[in-house]
Amino acid sequence: MAFARSYGMLIGGRIVEGIAGGIAMVVVSAYLGEIAPTSVRGAVGTLSQFTISSAIFLATALGLPYLLGTCAHWHLVVGAPVALAVIQLCSLPFFPRSPRYLYIDKNNLSAAEHALRRLRPVGVDLAQELAEMKAEKEKLDRLARPSVFQVLRSRQLRFRFVLTAILHTSQQFTGINGVFYYSSAIYTSAGLKNVALFALLPAVLNVLFVGVSVKLVDRLGRRSLMVIGLAGMCCSYVILTAGMCFNDGFFSGKSSSSSGGNWTAALTITGSLGVVAFFSVGPGPVPWMIVNELFPQSTRATAYAFAGVVNWTANYLVGQFFLPILNGLHPYGFLVFAAVSLLYALLLYYLQPETKGVEIDDIDAYFNSKAEGDEASALSCCFLAGKDTLA
C-alpha cells in the first residue's frame, strides 16, 4: 500500500491487511486467554485491546497534517506497520506455545509443563494448573472430537454461541465506529478550532479507559464492566443528542450558529467523549477476551471464528447505515444508539454469567448443566469450587 500507484493497489493491499488483521485479532485473543493464570485472566485478555487502542492513537497522531498526514508523506504512515510486523515475526520464535494446546490437543505433558514454567514466576507451584488441564483433557478424551458443524449444532454450546453473538454485536451496533469516523464533524459543529488536533481526543480516551478496564476486569468482573459500559454509552448518547438539538452544524458541516453558545458545544463534546470512554471500559475489550472463557479447548477455535464473522459483519452493517440514520433522524439519530445500548445492557445483565476467578472446567460444567435445564446443578458447579461469580 505504501507504494500504491492506483486505487486498485490500495484496495488490494487493504484486503490483504484486513484478512491479516482479522486473523491476528482472533489468534492473539485466544493465545492470551490460554496462557494467563485464572486470577489475572481478564487483565491479560484485555491487553490485546489495549495495544490496538494504542496503535489507533499512534496512527491518528501520525496522520495529522502537522506530521505525516500530507500528500507528500501519507505513504510513510501506511508503511509504518511494516516495521512492527518485522519485529513481531522476529520475536515469535521466542514465544512459548500455549500449555493448554500442548497438553489437551497434542497430549504432550512435558512440553506443556516446560511452557508453563516459562510463563510463570520461578518457584510457583504448577500442580493446580496442570491438574485443571488434566481434568479438562480427560473429559474431552471421553468424547469424540466434534466437527465444526457439530459444534455449531451442539445443544450444550447453543446458549454460549447466542451469548457470544450478543456480546460481539453489542460492540458494533452501539455505534462506536460512527462516533470515531465522524468525530471531526462533531467537533466542527461544536465550533472548535484545530479540529484535526481535537480528533486525537477519542483515541487518547480509548487508550486511557482500556487501561482502566485492564485494572478492573478481574476486580469488578466481566458482566459488571459490560453493563456499566453500555449504560454509560446510553447516557452519553442522550447528552450528545441534547447538544445536537441546539446545534445544526453537524449536518451542514459548519460551526454551530445557534444561540446556545458554549454550553451546547460542551454537551456535544462531553457526550461524544463519554461514548468513547464507556465503550473502552467494557464493550471494547471484554467481548474478545471472554470467548476464551465460555468455550472448552476443543471448540474454542470454532467459537473464535464465529465471533469474528459476527463482529465484522456487524461492523460492515453499521458502516452502511450509520450516516443514513443520522441524516434521516437528525438531530435525534444518536438516540437510536442510546436505545440499542440500553437494550444490550439489560440483555447482558440478565443473560451473561460472571466468570471472573472461575476455572474453565467449572465454567464449562455450569453451561452444560444449564443446557440440560438443571439450574441447581449449574450453580453447584461454582459453589463446590468455592466460587460464586457464575450466579
Side-chain angles (χ1 to χ4, degrees), residues 44-355:
V44 174
T46 54
L47 283 176
S48 62
Q49 189 66 33
F50 180 78
T51 57
I52 290 171
S53 301
S54 301
I56 291 172
F57 166 73
L58 180 61
T60 305
L62 290 177
L64 291 173
Y66 320 112
L67 296 176
L68 300 178
T70 64
C71 292
H73 300 112
W74 66 268
H75 59 282
L76 297 176
V77 180
V78 176
V82 173
L84 299 177
V86 170
I87 292 172
Q88 188 174 39
L89 284 172
C90 293
S91 62
L92 278 178
F94 301 99
F95 280 49
R97 303 187 78 174
S98 164
R100 302 186 72 86
Y101 170 78
L102 290 171
Y103 187 21
I104 298 174
D105 286 346
K106 295 301 181 181
N107 195 30
N108 192 335
L109 176 59
S110 60
E113 186 174 356
H114 176 71
L116 202 56
R117 291 194 183 281
R118 290 184 62 190
L119 291 164
R120 301 292 180 264
V122 177
V124 171
D125 186 7
L126 305 179
Q128 183 177 351
E129 282 193 77
L130 290 172
E132 188 269 328
M133 284 189 280
K134 181 180 179 181
E136 183 178 353
K137 176 175 171 53
E138 289 176 347
K139 183 171 68 175
L140 293 175
D141 285 344
R142 291 193 295 268
L143 305 171
R145 291 291 172 133
S147 65
V148 173
F149 186 68
Q150 289 172 326
V151 169
L152 294 174
R153 292 187 59 196
S154 170
R155 179 181 177 183
Q156 284 77 17
L157 298 175
R158 191 173 301 154
F159 177 71
R160 299 183 227 195
F161 278 113
V162 171
L163 186 57
T164 299
I166 293 173
L167 285 162
H168 280 266
T169 54
S170 76
Q171 191 181 73
Q172 301 296 340
F173 286 162
T174 48
I176 184 62
N177 283 329
V179 174
F180 272 115
Y181 297 157
Y182 299 104
S183 59
S184 295
I186 292 173
Y187 298 146
T188 298
S189 71
L192 292 179
K193 307 299 182 183
N194 296 321
V195 170
L197 190 60
F198 276 100
L200 273 177
L201 285 176
V204 172
L205 279 185
N206 195 18
V207 175
L208 292 177
F209 280 89
V210 170
V212 171
S213 180
V214 171
K215 297 290 289 184
L216 295 181
V217 68
D218 286 311
R219 299 180 185 178
L220 297 182
R222 291 79 160 121
R223 179 174 63 178
S224 297
L225 290 187
M226 285 297 298
V227 173
I228 290 171
L230 289 165
M233 289 179 73
C234 174
C235 295
S236 298
Y237 275 127
V238 171
I239 294 172
L240 177 57
T241 301
M244 302 295 280
C245 284
F246 300 96
N247 179 1
D248 60 357
F250 176 80
F251 300 96
S252 65
K254 301 176 181 179
S255 298
S256 174
S257 58
S258 66
S259 60
N262 293 334
W263 72 270
T264 59
L267 282 177
T268 302
I269 296 168
T270 300
S272 65
L273 294 181
V275 169
V276 174
F278 281 108
F279 171 83
S280 302
V281 166
V286 171
W288 285 108
M289 175 273 297
I290 204 172
V291 174
N292 193 75
E293 299 181 331
L294 298 181
F295 293 87
Q297 184 76 20
S298 61
T299 60
R300 198 167 289 144
T302 302
Y304 267 110
F306 173 81
V309 170
V310 170
N311 193 292
W312 291 109
T313 301
N315 182 299
Y316 170 78
L317 292 174
V318 171
Q320 295 299 307
F321 293 106
F322 182 86
L323 198 54
I325 288 174
L326 293 189
N327 287 332
L329 298 177
H330 69 280
Y332 305 107
F334 285 110
L335 289 181
V336 172
F337 300 104
V340 171
S341 300
L342 180 60
L343 174 62
Y344 275 115
L346 293 173
L347 278 173
L348 292 173
Y349 178 79
Y350 287 107
L351 295 180
Q352 182 183 351
E354 184 52 72
T355 55

